[in-house]
Amino acid sequence: MPDLENPFQETLLSRHRAEPCTVVIFGATGDLTNRKLIPAFYNIAACGDLPPQFKVVGFARRDKSDEVFRSELEAGNRKNSRQGHSDELWESFSRCIHYHRSEFEDPAGYVNLKLLLDKFDHERGTPANRLFYLASAPEAFKSILEMLRATGLNEGVGGKWARVVCEKPFGKDLASARALNEVVNATFHESDTYRIDHYLGKETAQNIMVLRFANALFEPNWNSRYIDHIQITCAENLGMEGGRGGYYDTAGALRDMVQNHLFQLLSLVAMEPPTDLSADSVRDEKVKVIRALRPLVGPEAVGQNVIRAQYTAGSVDGAPRVGYRQEDRVNPESKTEAYVALRLFIDTWRWQGVPFYIRVGKQLPKKATEISIHFKKPPQVPFATSKLLKNSENTLVIRIQPDEGIALRILCKQPGQAMRMQQVKLDFRYSSSFGKASPEAYERLLLDAMAGDATLFARRDEVENAWKFIDEIEHAWHQAATPPPMCEYPAGSWGPKEADDLLGQDGREWRLL
Ligand code: BG6
C-alpha cells in the first residue's frame, strides 16, 4: 500500500511508464550503441518494461541493411547484456530495430527519416512520440539539431512528444557548452532535453538521497557540526585502451570526470533536501551546491588546492603498463592530466569549513568509486587513558561501484578485561540484501527519457555552472605564466605524493580502498 503521508511515495510509484515511441540513435554504428544502448533496451524488454510498439532506428553514415545492422548488434548483445542473451527474445526484440543511412548534414536524409517514422506510425497506428538520441561525435550535434528543426521533427505532432537525449561530452568549456545549449534550446524545450550523465543512473547514486533524507540517524548529523570532511574517490585500473587516447588527450581527468560525474555525486551528497522528487525540485537543490563552490582562481589558489598528474610506466595487477605519454593516440609531449585531486569548499551554512577532497585517475590499482563521510570525534573524555587508534573516527562509506553498498565504521570495545577499542564495520551489500543485480544505469535512464522524467539528467544551469568552475582551473593550468606543475605517479600506484600532501597539510589522509 502506498504511504499517503509520504510525499515522495506517489512520485516514486508513478514513474517509469515508458510510452510507445520510436527512438532514433544518431551515430548508431558507434561503440555506445553496441555496448550500452541496445543491451539496455534488450534488458528493458527482458524485464517486460519496453513500451508496446516500440522501435529503434539507427541513423549513421555507413551503408548497411537492417539485417546486417541487427546481426552486428546481436553480437554486441551476447557480449554485453546484463541478463545474458536468449535467442528467442532476441528474435522478437530485434524486429523493432531498423537502419537508416544518411550523412548528418544532408537535408534529404532527414526528409527520408521523417517519411520512415511516419510510415511506422501509420502501420502500427501508434502516436508519433519520438526520442532523438545524439550518440555521434559531438561535432555533429549542431548539424543534427539544425536538420531536425528544419524538417519539423523536433515538434511533437498532435499533442505527441519529441525529446532529445545528448550524450557527453556536453561542451569542453563554458563557451562551447553555452553555444551548444543555445542550439539545443532553439530546437527543443529545456523540459524535453535530457543531458546524460550515466553516474546518475547508478543505483547507489540514486540511493544517496534516500540514505540522507529518509533516515533519522543520518539527516541530523549531515553538516559541519558533526562532519570533519568528505572524500570522493573514483579510481580506474585502465588507461587508454580501445583507442580512447585520442579523445581523452583533448579532455583530461578534470573535464572527462570531475565536471560531470564527480560534481553530480558531490551535489547529491551536499544538497539541501528537495521539497519533492520532481525533476526541477531536485535539480534546483543540486545546482545550488555547484554555485556555492568556492571558486579557485589563479595559479596560486589552483596550485594550493588542485593536484594534476600523469602516470609513468608501471604495472597494474602484475601486468606492465606504459606511461600516459606513451599511450596510443596520446601526444608524446601531452600536458593533459590523467589524474586530478582537489580540495573544495562549499560556501553554505551547512558546509562552512568542511573540506571535500575529490580524486580521480586512470591506471590506479583497482576500479572503485566511493564516497566516505568522516565524522568528527566526540570528546572521548572517559576513554582518555585508553589507547585510541589513529583514524578512529566514525566513517560512513557509500560504495558506488563495484560491490555496491554502505558500510559504517564504529568503535567497539575489544572483548577482554582491559578497555581496548577497535574499529569494526557494519556492512550493507546490495547483492546480499536484495539478491538480484541492479539494472544498468542506461536501462534506468532510457526508461526515464521514454517516460518523460528528467530528474536523473543534467539541466542547463547545472552544466554551465560546473563549466564555469572548471574553466578557472583549466585557465590556470594552460594559460598562466607560471602554471602549477604536472606531477607524476607510477601506473598501479594510488597517485602522486603531492596528492597525499594535499591532505597531509590538513592532518588528514586518503582512505585506504
Ligand atoms: C566516462 C568517461 O564518462 O566514464 C571514461 O569518459 C570513464 O573515461 C567512464 O572511464 C567511467 O564510467 P564507469 O561507469 O565505468 O565508472
Side-chain angles (χ1 to χ4, degrees), residues 1 24 82 109 128 131 185 221 244 314 334 348 353 376 391 456 469 472 487 491:
M1 273 294 283
V24 181
R82 168 174 73 87
L131 186 68
N185 287 163
N221 303 333
R244 284 212 89 220
S334 172
T348 59
K376 289 181 176 164
N391 297 336
L456 300 179
F469 183 87
E472 292 290 357
C487 308

PDB file of all heavy atoms in Angstrom, residues 1 24 82 109 128 131 185 221 244 314 334 348 353 376 391 456 469 472 487 491:
ATOM      1  N   MET A   1       0.830  -1.212   0.000  1.00  0.00           N
ATOM      2  CA  MET A   1       0.000   0.000   0.000  1.00  0.00           C
ATOM      3  C   MET A   1       0.863   1.260   0.000  1.00  0.00           C
ATOM      4  O   MET A   1       1.779   1.380   0.812  1.00  0.00           O
ATOM      5  CB  MET A   1      -0.845   0.010   1.290  1.00  0.00           C
ATOM      6  CG  MET A   1      -2.161  -0.743   1.180  1.00  0.00           C
ATOM      7  SD  MET A   1      -3.293   0.038   0.038  1.00  0.00           S
ATOM      8  CE  MET A   1      -3.882   1.411   1.015  1.00  0.00           C
ATOM      9  N   VAL A  24      15.393   7.323 -32.224  1.00  0.00           N
ATOM     10  CA  VAL A  24      16.332   7.437 -33.341  1.00  0.00           C
ATOM     11  C   VAL A  24      17.714   7.695 -32.745  1.00  0.00           C
ATOM     12  O   VAL A  24      17.909   8.678 -32.024  1.00  0.00           O
ATOM     13  CB  VAL A  24      15.947   8.601 -34.283  1.00  0.00           C
ATOM     14  CG1 VAL A  24      16.935   8.694 -35.449  1.00  0.00           C
ATOM     15  CG2 VAL A  24      14.524   8.429 -34.793  1.00  0.00           C
ATOM     16  N   ARG A  82      23.358  -7.619 -19.592  1.00  0.00           N
ATOM     17  CA  ARG A  82      23.434  -7.894 -18.147  1.00  0.00           C
ATOM     18  C   ARG A  82      22.782  -9.217 -17.770  1.00  0.00           C
ATOM     19  O   ARG A  82      23.276  -9.939 -16.906  1.00  0.00           O
ATOM     20  CB  ARG A  82      22.724  -6.732 -17.420  1.00  0.00           C
ATOM     21  CG  ARG A  82      22.444  -6.926 -15.972  1.00  0.00           C
ATOM     22  CD  ARG A  82      21.884  -5.661 -15.380  1.00  0.00           C
ATOM     23  NE  ARG A  82      20.516  -5.364 -15.753  1.00  0.00           N
ATOM     24  CZ  ARG A  82      19.439  -5.831 -15.113  1.00  0.00           C
ATOM     25  NH1 ARG A  82      19.584  -6.642 -14.092  1.00  0.00           N
ATOM     26  NH2 ARG A  82      18.223  -5.481 -15.502  1.00  0.00           N
ATOM     27  N   GLY A 109      18.374  13.296 -46.103  1.00  0.00           N
ATOM     28  CA  GLY A 109      18.389  12.178 -45.148  1.00  0.00           C
ATOM     29  C   GLY A 109      17.335  12.352 -44.063  1.00  0.00           C
ATOM     30  O   GLY A 109      16.761  11.368 -43.572  1.00  0.00           O
ATOM     31  N   ALA A 128       2.856   9.567 -32.639  1.00  0.00           N
ATOM     32  CA  ALA A 128       4.173   9.958 -33.143  1.00  0.00           C
ATOM     33  C   ALA A 128       5.063  10.507 -32.024  1.00  0.00           C
ATOM     34  O   ALA A 128       5.466  11.657 -32.046  1.00  0.00           O
ATOM     35  CB  ALA A 128       3.983  10.987 -34.248  1.00  0.00           C
ATOM     36  N   LEU A 131      12.017   9.977 -29.694  1.00  0.00           N
ATOM     37  CA  LEU A 131      13.163  10.299 -28.838  1.00  0.00           C
ATOM     38  C   LEU A 131      14.408  10.289 -29.718  1.00  0.00           C
ATOM     39  O   LEU A 131      14.754   9.251 -30.282  1.00  0.00           O
ATOM     40  CB  LEU A 131      13.279   9.222 -27.747  1.00  0.00           C
ATOM     41  CG  LEU A 131      14.323   9.452 -26.665  1.00  0.00           C
ATOM     42  CD1 LEU A 131      13.932  10.633 -25.791  1.00  0.00           C
ATOM     43  CD2 LEU A 131      14.450   8.211 -25.776  1.00  0.00           C
ATOM     44  N   ASN A 185      18.411  24.404 -27.191  1.00  0.00           N
ATOM     45  CA  ASN A 185      17.179  25.043 -26.735  1.00  0.00           C
ATOM     46  C   ASN A 185      16.434  25.795 -27.842  1.00  0.00           C
ATOM     47  O   ASN A 185      15.257  26.095 -27.697  1.00  0.00           O
ATOM     48  CB  ASN A 185      17.447  25.954 -25.531  1.00  0.00           C
ATOM     49  CG  ASN A 185      17.729  25.158 -24.252  1.00  0.00           C
ATOM     50  OD1 ASN A 185      18.247  25.665 -23.280  1.00  0.00           O
ATOM     51  ND2 ASN A 185      17.395  23.858 -24.245  1.00  0.00           N
ATOM     52  N   ASN A 221      22.857  14.698  11.459  1.00  0.00           N
ATOM     53  CA  ASN A 221      24.318  14.813  11.614  1.00  0.00           C
ATOM     54  C   ASN A 221      25.032  15.255  10.346  1.00  0.00           C
ATOM     55  O   ASN A 221      26.255  15.329  10.317  1.00  0.00           O
ATOM     56  CB  ASN A 221      24.908  13.440  11.992  1.00  0.00           C
ATOM     57  CG  ASN A 221      24.276  12.904  13.243  1.00  0.00           C
ATOM     58  OD1 ASN A 221      23.815  13.685  14.073  1.00  0.00           O
ATOM     59  ND2 ASN A 221      24.234  11.598  13.376  1.00  0.00           N
ATOM     60  N   ARG A 244      41.014   5.113 -26.970  1.00  0.00           N
ATOM     61  CA  ARG A 244      40.400   6.256 -26.279  1.00  0.00           C
ATOM     62  C   ARG A 244      41.337   7.447 -26.116  1.00  0.00           C
ATOM     63  O   ARG A 244      40.914   8.553 -25.807  1.00  0.00           O
ATOM     64  CB  ARG A 244      39.936   5.833 -24.864  1.00  0.00           C
ATOM     65  CG  ARG A 244      38.686   5.039 -24.874  1.00  0.00           C
ATOM     66  CD  ARG A 244      37.893   5.309 -23.633  1.00  0.00           C
ATOM     67  NE  ARG A 244      36.982   6.420 -23.780  1.00  0.00           N
ATOM     68  CZ  ARG A 244      36.761   7.326 -22.837  1.00  0.00           C
ATOM     69  NH1 ARG A 244      37.414   7.285 -21.707  1.00  0.00           N
ATOM     70  NH2 ARG A 244      35.881   8.285 -23.019  1.00  0.00           N
ATOM     71  N   GLY A 314      54.542   1.469 -15.311  1.00  0.00           N
ATOM     72  CA  GLY A 314      54.419   0.726 -14.047  1.00  0.00           C
ATOM     73  C   GLY A 314      53.678  -0.560 -14.310  1.00  0.00           C
ATOM     74  O   GLY A 314      53.698  -1.075 -15.437  1.00  0.00           O
ATOM     75  N   SER A 334      52.297  15.501 -24.255  1.00  0.00           N
ATOM     76  CA  SER A 334      50.991  15.906 -23.733  1.00  0.00           C
ATOM     77  C   SER A 334      51.062  16.642 -22.390  1.00  0.00           C
ATOM     78  O   SER A 334      51.858  16.292 -21.518  1.00  0.00           O
ATOM     79  CB  SER A 334      50.131  14.652 -23.566  1.00  0.00           C
ATOM     80  OG  SER A 334      48.944  14.994 -22.902  1.00  0.00           O
ATOM     81  N   THR A 348      28.179  27.310   2.059  1.00  0.00           N
ATOM     82  CA  THR A 348      26.797  27.389   2.522  1.00  0.00           C
ATOM     83  C   THR A 348      26.809  27.264   4.043  1.00  0.00           C
ATOM     84  O   THR A 348      27.814  26.893   4.642  1.00  0.00           O
ATOM     85  CB  THR A 348      25.941  26.234   1.962  1.00  0.00           C
ATOM     86  OG1 THR A 348      26.518  24.999   2.390  1.00  0.00           O
ATOM     87  CG2 THR A 348      25.861  26.264   0.456  1.00  0.00           C
ATOM     88  N   GLY A 353      33.517  25.418   6.390  1.00  0.00           N
ATOM     89  CA  GLY A 353      34.768  24.875   6.930  1.00  0.00           C
ATOM     90  C   GLY A 353      34.976  23.385   6.699  1.00  0.00           C
ATOM     91  O   GLY A 353      35.982  22.836   7.151  1.00  0.00           O
ATOM     92  N   LYS A 376      33.358  13.893  12.931  1.00  0.00           N
ATOM     93  CA  LYS A 376      34.250  14.419  13.958  1.00  0.00           C
ATOM     94  C   LYS A 376      34.262  13.459  15.132  1.00  0.00           C
ATOM     95  O   LYS A 376      33.281  12.745  15.358  1.00  0.00           O
ATOM     96  CB  LYS A 376      33.760  15.790  14.429  1.00  0.00           C
ATOM     97  CG  LYS A 376      33.973  16.851  13.372  1.00  0.00           C
ATOM     98  CD  LYS A 376      33.524  18.213  13.846  1.00  0.00           C
ATOM     99  CE  LYS A 376      33.865  19.239  12.790  1.00  0.00           C
ATOM    100  NZ  LYS A 376      33.179  20.516  12.947  1.00  0.00           N
ATOM    101  N   ASN A 391      42.994   7.520  13.051  1.00  0.00           N
ATOM    102  CA  ASN A 391      41.856   7.328  12.146  1.00  0.00           C
ATOM    103  C   ASN A 391      40.718   6.565  12.792  1.00  0.00           C
ATOM    104  O   ASN A 391      40.154   5.642  12.209  1.00  0.00           O
ATOM    105  CB  ASN A 391      42.275   6.573  10.876  1.00  0.00           C
ATOM    106  CG  ASN A 391      43.278   7.349  10.078  1.00  0.00           C
ATOM    107  OD1 ASN A 391      43.341   8.568  10.201  1.00  0.00           O
ATOM    108  ND2 ASN A 391      44.074   6.658   9.303  1.00  0.00           N
ATOM    109  N   LEU A 456      17.007  12.530 -13.418  1.00  0.00           N
ATOM    110  CA  LEU A 456      18.366  11.999 -13.394  1.00  0.00           C
ATOM    111  C   LEU A 456      19.194  12.468 -14.600  1.00  0.00           C
ATOM    112  O   LEU A 456      20.118  11.787 -15.033  1.00  0.00           O
ATOM    113  CB  LEU A 456      18.335  10.463 -13.339  1.00  0.00           C
ATOM    114  CG  LEU A 456      17.625   9.860 -12.125  1.00  0.00           C
ATOM    115  CD1 LEU A 456      17.627   8.348 -12.192  1.00  0.00           C
ATOM    116  CD2 LEU A 456      18.278  10.331 -10.830  1.00  0.00           C
ATOM    117  N   PHE A 469      33.182  26.789 -13.076  1.00  0.00           N
ATOM    118  CA  PHE A 469      34.156  26.474 -12.028  1.00  0.00           C
ATOM    119  C   PHE A 469      35.395  25.808 -12.632  1.00  0.00           C
ATOM    120  O   PHE A 469      36.530  26.162 -12.317  1.00  0.00           O
ATOM    121  CB  PHE A 469      33.498  25.548 -10.988  1.00  0.00           C
ATOM    122  CG  PHE A 469      34.403  25.243  -9.840  1.00  0.00           C
ATOM    123  CD1 PHE A 469      34.464  26.084  -8.743  1.00  0.00           C
ATOM    124  CD2 PHE A 469      35.214  24.118  -9.857  1.00  0.00           C
ATOM    125  CE1 PHE A 469      35.322  25.816  -7.686  1.00  0.00           C
ATOM    126  CE2 PHE A 469      36.070  23.842  -8.815  1.00  0.00           C
ATOM    127  CZ  PHE A 469      36.126  24.688  -7.716  1.00  0.00           C
ATOM    128  N   GLU A 472      38.164  27.945 -14.684  1.00  0.00           N
ATOM    129  CA  GLU A 472      39.199  28.703 -13.958  1.00  0.00           C
ATOM    130  C   GLU A 472      40.434  27.830 -13.728  1.00  0.00           C
ATOM    131  O   GLU A 472      41.572  28.300 -13.814  1.00  0.00           O
ATOM    132  CB  GLU A 472      38.665  29.188 -12.597  1.00  0.00           C
ATOM    133  CG  GLU A 472      37.575  30.237 -12.691  1.00  0.00           C
ATOM    134  CD  GLU A 472      38.086  31.586 -13.185  1.00  0.00           C
ATOM    135  OE1 GLU A 472      39.306  31.736 -13.398  1.00  0.00           O
ATOM    136  OE2 GLU A 472      37.249  32.488 -13.384  1.00  0.00           O
ATOM    137  N   CYS A 487      52.375  16.685 -11.967  1.00  0.00           N
ATOM    138  CA  CYS A 487      53.072  15.694 -11.143  1.00  0.00           C
ATOM    139  C   CYS A 487      53.040  14.330 -11.837  1.00  0.00           C
ATOM    140  O   CYS A 487      52.424  14.183 -12.892  1.00  0.00           O
ATOM    141  CB  CYS A 487      52.414  15.604  -9.768  1.00  0.00           C
ATOM    142  SG  CYS A 487      52.249  17.206  -8.979  1.00  0.00           S
ATOM    143  N   ALA A 491      52.159   3.930 -12.859  1.00  0.00           N
ATOM    144  CA  ALA A 491      50.917   3.187 -13.084  1.00  0.00           C
ATOM    145  C   ALA A 491      50.835   2.090 -12.028  1.00  0.00           C
ATOM    146  O   ALA A 491      51.830   1.430 -11.723  1.00  0.00           O
ATOM    147  CB  ALA A 491      50.927   2.583 -14.483  1.00  0.00           C
TER     148      ALA A 491
END
